[in-house]
Amino acid sequence: MTKTARAAVMTAAGKDLEIVEYPLPGVEPGCLLVKVTCCTICGSDVHSWRGRRAAPTPAILGHEIVGEVVELGEGVTRDTGDRPLRVGDRITWTIMDNCGKCYYCREKGLMMKCRYLKKYGHDSCEEPPHFIGGFAEYCYLTPGTCVVKIPDPLGDEEVAPANCALATVVAAWEAGDVKPFENVLIQGAGALGFYAAALARHYGCRRIVVTDILDHRLDLIKSFGATDAINVNRMSDEKIIQTVRNLTDGFGVDCAMEVGGNPDLIPVGLRCLRTGGRYVEVGNSAPGALFTYDACDIVWRRLTLTGIHNYDARHLQAGVDFLDQTREEFPFKDIVTHRVTMDNINEGLRLADSGKAVRVAVIP
Ligand SMILES: [Zn+2]
Ligand SMILES: [Zn+2]
């Protein structure tokens, strides 16, 4: 008899997830079967669940996943970093399976925009192998997935948000070309903001200014390297811009990153840049995020604006290495603030949507 396993399934956007049993797939060559040990709830899971962005159904959401290898398909002997891979190893993996051969994969270096992209936690789970999302007991990895073995000292909850939040922030600072002794602005003190601050500190940035409207998050981000954590709740845009300029000898920051997911932050962030500054837009990952800006300011002040959506395999590896190297320096454990079991996942999603939690971990 075929063994079955449980998954929390989104049958329609806006509805509570339902527990469904699916048959476990046989493991094909080049594939892996993984027992999920932890999956954290990302903002985009909440967007899909609330119907703020189009998502196919039925779907198993969840892509910030950590698990243990249960079965290796024929030919799978090493992870993407060429480390030997065995049954029982703890791994995480890229949010996507990309073909490696198409125009974007091969010619343009944009594997996250592969023309034949499959994304964990985003595609329909109707057909076998079913288990292609993190809110389930198992996950089935297909051959175009880049697997990263997790160093022993890192806990599951510490490393789960690496596959999305941290890897995306690594890609974003790379796009912003952040250098030592530069001044940076981070708009948003959620999980991405925490990682952005820690990385900026690690890179040797001088002023690491963070804005948000929640005091408890601003307090916490100081332990992730923020030099100035500012509550902008009652501040006018002009006041925010002046405050950031005052912190940077009157010039403004070299680079700013928007991770708050609010389009209103973009005009303020752009005006906080020094002449020649770089702006990296990350947070607005649901359509309809409109903003108005004077293009003349971009021209006259030589500003650069870049969007970052997901990441490349090397960013995930760098993220895991960063956690391993700096785990004594920054309280990454504090990013997961709440835990739920799969049976209570709807409660977990509501918590994640409320802003009370930084990251909610779902333990199958
Ligand atoms: Zn491709
Ligand atoms: Zn995500």
Side-chain angles (χ1 to χ4, degrees):
M1 203 176 81
T2 315
K3 203 182 157 199
T4 62
R6 284 155 32 99
V9 175
M10 177 172 79
T11 55
K15 272 182 69 181
D16 275 6
L17 306 190
E18 290 170 27
I19 303 293
V20 176
E21 292 224 4
Y22 288 117
L24 276 175
V27 181
E28 299 283 322
C31 299
L32 288 103
L33 185 65
V34 179
K35 187 167 182 17
V36 175
T37 51
C38 177
C39 182
T40 41
I41 300 176
C42 172
S44 63
D45 293 318
V46 179
H47 287 324
S48 302
W49 175 62
R50 287 289 193 209
R52 292 181 203 128
R53 52 189 264 167
T57 51
I60 304 170
L61 302 175
H63 51 272
E64 293 186 338
I65 323 169
V66 169
E68 275 176 24
V69 176
V70 173
E71 195 178 335
L72 297 157
E74 193 190 315
V76 184
T77 55
R78 296 188 167 262
D79 77 353
T80 308
D82 210 32
R83 289 161 291 242
L85 213 51
R86 298 186 185 89
V87 168
D89 281 346
R90 285 190 315 139
I91 59 168
T92 187
W93 53 94
T94 45
I95 190 169
M96 69 280 189
D97 170 315
N98 65 301
C99 79
K101 294 175 185 164
C102 74
Y103 175 73
Y104 284 120
C105 279
R106 191 171 271 175
E107 198 165 318
K108 296 297 167 190
L110 289 168
M111 61 186 284
M112 74 297 280
K113 296 294 157 192
C114 170
R115 297 188 66 201
Y116 309 100
L117 189 74
K118 290 184 266 181
K119 272 175 91 173
Y120 294 96
H122 289 78
D123 293 334
S124 167
C125 65
E126 184 134 43
E127 303 291 327
H130 306 296
F131 292 92
I132 52 170
F135 302 151
E137 290 179 300
Y138 290 87
C139 193
Y140 186 75
L141 311 194
T142 41
T145 312
C146 298
V147 172
V148 177
K149 201 161 143 177
I150 299 170
D152 286 338
L154 289 175
D156 289 355
E157 289 181 6
E158 265 174 303
V159 82
N163 169 351
C164 189
L166 175 54
T168 300
V169 168
V170 173
W173 276 146
E174 184 184 281
D177 194 21
V178 170
K179 298 175 197 73
F181 313 117
E182 285 197 323
N183 298 309
V184 297
L185 167 67
I186 299 160
Q187 295 174 287
L192 282 94
F194 292 143
Y195 291 127
L199 274 165
R201 173 56 70 93
H202 190 67
Y203 293 156
C205 291
R206 198 151 52 105
R207 284 278 186 195
I208 301 166
V209 185
V210 182
T211 58
D212 200 284
I213 54 170
L214 297 172
D215 279 329
H216 65 280
R217 289 179 174 225
L218 288 163
D219 284 341
L220 185 54
I221 206 163
K222 288 177 195 155
S223 54
F224 284 88
T227 56
D228 305 273
I230 305 166
N231 191 326
V232 292
N233 193 19
R234 293 187 207 290
M235 286 169 80
S236 67
D237 289 355
E238 294 307 318
K239 176 83 179 152
I240 296 167
I241 293 156
Q242 200 51 54
T243 304
V244 172
R245 288 201 182 143
N246 289 346
L247 289 168
T248 52
D249 303 321
F251 288 108
V253 294
D254 301 282
C255 188
M257 187 192 296
E258 189 282 311
V259 285
N262 177 352
D264 296 340
L265 298 174
I266 301 171
V268 183
L270 284 167
R271 289 188 59 208
C272 287
L273 293 176
R274 67 159 167 84
T275 294
R278 293 99 56 195
Y279 193 78
V280 189
E281 169 52 31
V282 182
N284 289 286
S285 60
L290 305 180
F291 68 97
T292 302
Y293 199 71
D294 184 351
C296 177
D297 188 58
I298 297 176
V299 173
W300 280 7
R301 296 207 303 123
R302 298 285 304 268
L303 306 182
T304 304
L305 170 58
T306 310
I308 281 292
H309 185 219
N310 300 142
Y311 56 85
D312 207 332
R314 71 178 188 283
H315 301 120
L316 176 59
Q317 181 64 64
V320 173
D321 288 345
F322 171 66
L323 291 177
D324 193 30
Q325 268 179 42
T326 63
R327 53 185 293 276
E328 308 282 342
E329 201 178 327
F330 303 112
F332 296 117
K333 283 192 179 85
D334 295 345
I335 288 180
V336 169
T337 49
H338 298 75
R339 286 153 202 89
V340 293
T341 62
M342 209 161 67
D343 290 307
N344 294 324
I345 192 160
N346 294 299
E347 195 184 304
L349 285 162
R350 276 186 270 277
L351 249 170
D353 199 23
S354 73
K356 284 185 201 134
V358 181
R359 272 293 188 267
V360 179
V362 182
I363 316 289

